[in-house]
């Protein structure tokens, strides 16, 4: 099963053809107990694009990502994946979400955690758990229970999961939190590689971020 | 069917419309319930003849039986509202279901208390593990669980959705409980006293009973509408229509 | 099995939960210990006459096991919700109901199965006649998965709420009344030398229904719980 819908050879399209839209929000807004949280927001995320969601604390960045995963139902507007409205049942692992809670089992080792994720989501073609862990700087820590890793290392273990899953759209909530300078560079490199493979990502952050590929798209949320 | 019915129902789904509708209906329902209830009580206590077996003690059925009917009727109404609320995500239906639960619990409690009061002269004991009383007790627990679940959430709407779901689980469960309790009762050979079935009942006893049944239904409507209005004011507090309402009522006072 | 296929996902999740339980195997012993303590208290409270104990043994074992299962149920989804694993499960390209079913299965293996193993011991302490033992074990074997399934739905419903302990007991009572009636009824019938297959068959019918419906209800309830 390969969910990387845009294989490498497909990306050599004529320069005039725009990459396809992976994730699109139309007039998306969300209210909690009749208090508007964000929106309406419009954006379209094309293959190979990284967008930064900006906004102050409380402006609804996390909520936006959770609505995009389908876990929260949008108040108004719609979310389209590959041009189709989607729900939790139909999106078939095309989206992967990394939130404040990393989704790691602390009693399992990093390698075991990755194995569980691969079992649930499938393994990306030519991806390998140990290589992903080495890539995120966890070589030598593969069999250590996640409990014993530092906060930054836990984050890196969660990032390694992104590398082995076939999802095309990454929704990353504050991926830079808890990371040192090297870690931030790592996130940027991973995002860059993901974009070059034809994936797309939506990243929230309240810090300034620079991508290797220049200025990212910015989606601004107002409190 | 004429399409004004769904149209009217659709309009009623909007909180301000329902608020006004409930406010208009409530005094009539309450007034009628009190009048009919008084008539039924008078007829039941003074007009209807004494039972040849149970004497005057049987007169408690004029409270007990309508309450028992209501304990089940309200569950049915609540289940329908919960289903509508969950499937079509209609806020009013969720509120109606949630505000039905305390009323249903109250009728269930009345049923249990009057049943036990009746049991003392009839069976010589306040409580017996009779199949119907036991089922009613379990029903009370179901109602309390629903009320408890609704109020254990920070987010009212989320609590309502979870509790509506529990209402539907309970709706599947109630017949199963009744069946199993019946089976258990025959197995353990408990009390075998059979009460007078309402089917072979004297007409002079029947009409007060039916009048009381109508009165309890009207009371349910009145009580439900008052509760729903209060719930709507609390949960829609920030909305323009509530603020307008406060300004208008404040100006009138 | 291809990674990402539904059987692989189920196996991965089952293996994960069993591994986690094994790494904290002290916790597996807790429900068993609890059941042992409760069952021990009855002779102290009621006196050690064998006839009296034999009369109540079946019922005591069932209520004890039920309470032990109830205690362990509270944690069924809590850890997964707190560490973000539940979000990962919901976004996985698999039917959530099936994954939840796997979690319930793992929970049953780690918390109810040990209880079934010690149940004959408890029954022996309470002087249950040996002739009723097959009925007891069989009734427990059907009643405990049924309790796990029904309890899981309620745990999922309370997952998004502030408090759950007592509320869970209040909500579970009406659901487990039929289970207790039929399970204890089977043991009572066996004790009196009567045929006891009918109540077991009713329990079995309930289990079949619950296996199909409870995971679906659980998945729906979890979606409500995660909708914050």
């Amino acid at each position: 099963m390969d969910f990387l819908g845009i294989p490498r050879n497909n990306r050599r399209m004529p320069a005039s053809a725009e990459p396809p839209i992976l994730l699109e929000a139309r007039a998306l807004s969300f209210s909690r107990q009749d208090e508007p949280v964000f929106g309406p927001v419009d954006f379209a995320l094309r293959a190979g694009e990284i967008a930064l969601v900006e906004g102050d604390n409380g402006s609804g960045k996390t909520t936006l990502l959770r609505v995009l995963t389908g876990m929260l139902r949008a108040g108004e507007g719609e979310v389209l994946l590959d041009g189709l409205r989607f729900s939790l049942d139909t999106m078939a692992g095309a989206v992967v979400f990394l939130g404040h809670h990393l989704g790691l089992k602390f009693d399992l080792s990093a390698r075991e955690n990755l194995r569980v994720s691969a079992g649930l989501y499938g393994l990306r073609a030519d991806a390998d758990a140990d290589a992903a862990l080495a890539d995120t700087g966890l070589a030598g820590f593969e069999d250590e229970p996640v409990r014993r890793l530092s906060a930054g290392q836990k984050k890196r273990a969660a990032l390694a999961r992104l590398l082995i899953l076939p999802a095309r759209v990454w929704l990353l909530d504050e991926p830079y939190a808890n990371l040192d300078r090297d870690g931030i560079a790592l996130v940027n490199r991973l995002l860059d590689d993901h974009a070059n493979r034809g994936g797309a990502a939506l990243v929230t952050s309240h810090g300034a971020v620079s991508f290797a590929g220049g200025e990212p798209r910015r989606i601004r949320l107002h409190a | 069917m004429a399409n004004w019915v769904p149209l009217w129902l659709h309009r009623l789904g909007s909180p301000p419309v329902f608020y006004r509708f409930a406010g208009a209906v409530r005094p009539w329902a309450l007034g009628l319930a009190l009048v009919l209830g008084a008539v039924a009580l008078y007829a039941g206590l003074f007009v209807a003849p004494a039972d040849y077996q149970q004497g005057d003690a049987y007169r408690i059925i004029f409270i007990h039986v309508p309450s028992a009917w209501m304990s089940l009727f309200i569950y049915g109404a609540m289940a329908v509202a919960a289903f509508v609320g969950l499937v079509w995500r209609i806020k009013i239906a969720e509120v109606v279901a949630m505000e039905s639960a305390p009323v249903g619990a109250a009728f269930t409690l009345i049923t249990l208390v009057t049943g036990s009061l009746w049991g003392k002269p009839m069976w010589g004991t306040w409580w017996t593990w009779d199949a119907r009383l036991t089922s009613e007790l379990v029903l009370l627990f179901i109602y309390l669980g629903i009320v408890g679940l609704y109020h254990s959430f920070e987010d009212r709407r989320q609590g309502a959705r979870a509790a509506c779901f529990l209402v539907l689980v309970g709706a599947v469960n109630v017949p199963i409980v009744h069946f199993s309790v019946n089976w258990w009762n025959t197995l353990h050979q408990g009390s075998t006293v059979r009460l007078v079935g309402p089917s072979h009942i004297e007409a002079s006893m029947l009409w007060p009973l039916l009048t009381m049944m109508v009165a309890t239904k009207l009371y349910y409507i009145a009580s439900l509408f008052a509760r729903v209005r209060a719930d709507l004011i609390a949960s829609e507090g920030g909305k323009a229509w509530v603020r307008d309402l406060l300004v208008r009522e404040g100006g009138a006072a | 099995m291809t990674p990402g296929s539904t059987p692989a996902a189920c196996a991965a999740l089952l293996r994960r939960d069993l591994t986690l339980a094994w790494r904290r195997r002290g916790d597996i012993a807790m429900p068993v210990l609890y059941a042992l303590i409760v069952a021990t208290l009855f002779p102290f409270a009621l006196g050690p006459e064998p006839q009296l104990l034999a009369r109540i043994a079946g019922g005591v074992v069932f209520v004890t096991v039920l309470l032990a299962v109830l205690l362990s149920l509270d944690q069924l989804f809590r850890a997964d919700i707190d560490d973000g694993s539940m979000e990962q499960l919901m976004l996985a390209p698999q039917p959530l109901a099936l994954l939840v079913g796997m979690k319930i299965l793992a929970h049953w293996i780690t918390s109810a199965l040990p209880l079934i193993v010690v149940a004959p011991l408890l029954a022996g302490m309470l002087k249950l006649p040996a002739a009723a033992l097959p009925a007891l074990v069989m009734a427990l074997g059907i009643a405990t998965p049924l309790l796990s399934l029904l309890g899981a739905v309620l745990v999922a419903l309370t997952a998004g709420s502030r408090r759950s302990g007592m509320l869970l007991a209040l909500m579970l009572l009406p659901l487990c009344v039929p289970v207790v009636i039929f399970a204890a009824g089977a043991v009572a019938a066996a004790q009196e030398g009567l045929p006891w297959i009918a109540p077991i068959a009713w329990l079995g019918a309930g289990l079949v229904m619950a296996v199909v419906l409870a995971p679906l209800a659980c998945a729906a309830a979890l979606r409500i719980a995660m909708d914050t």
Side-chain angles (χ1 to χ4, degrees), chain C residues 80 93 123-124 126 147 158 189 213:
Chain C
D80 277 352
L126 295 170
L147 284 174
T158 56
L213 295 179

Side-chain angles (χ1 to χ4, degrees), chain B residues 86 89 138 141-142 144-149 151-155 158 161-163 165-166 169-170 172-173 176-177 179-181 183-184 187-188, chain C residues 55 153-154 157-158 160-163 167 170-171 173-175 177-178 181-182 185-186 188 199 202 209 216-218 220-221 224-228:
Chain B
L86 278 181
R89 302 180 73 85
V138 174
F141 284 129
I142 296 180
L144 293 181
I146 291 162
V147 174
L149 187 62
H151 289 288
S152 74
F153 281 77
E154 297 282 353
D155 181 335
Q158 199 197 3
R161 295 182 59 71
F165 198 86
L166 184 60
V169 172
V172 177
N173 191 39
I176 298 177
V177 167
F179 165 73
S180 64
V181 167
W183 184 86
W184 166 77
L187 183 78
H188 289 271
Chain C
R55 169 78 189 77
V153 177
L154 302 183
L157 277 176
T158 56
S161 75
R162 281 172 287 147
R163 52 194 142 84
L167 186 62
L170 177 64
M171 286 159 55
L173 177 112
L175 281 174
V177 162
I181 286 178
F182 286 120
W202 281 116
M209 235 173 77
L216 293 170
C218 225
I224 294 174
M226 298 299 286
D227 198 347
T228 52

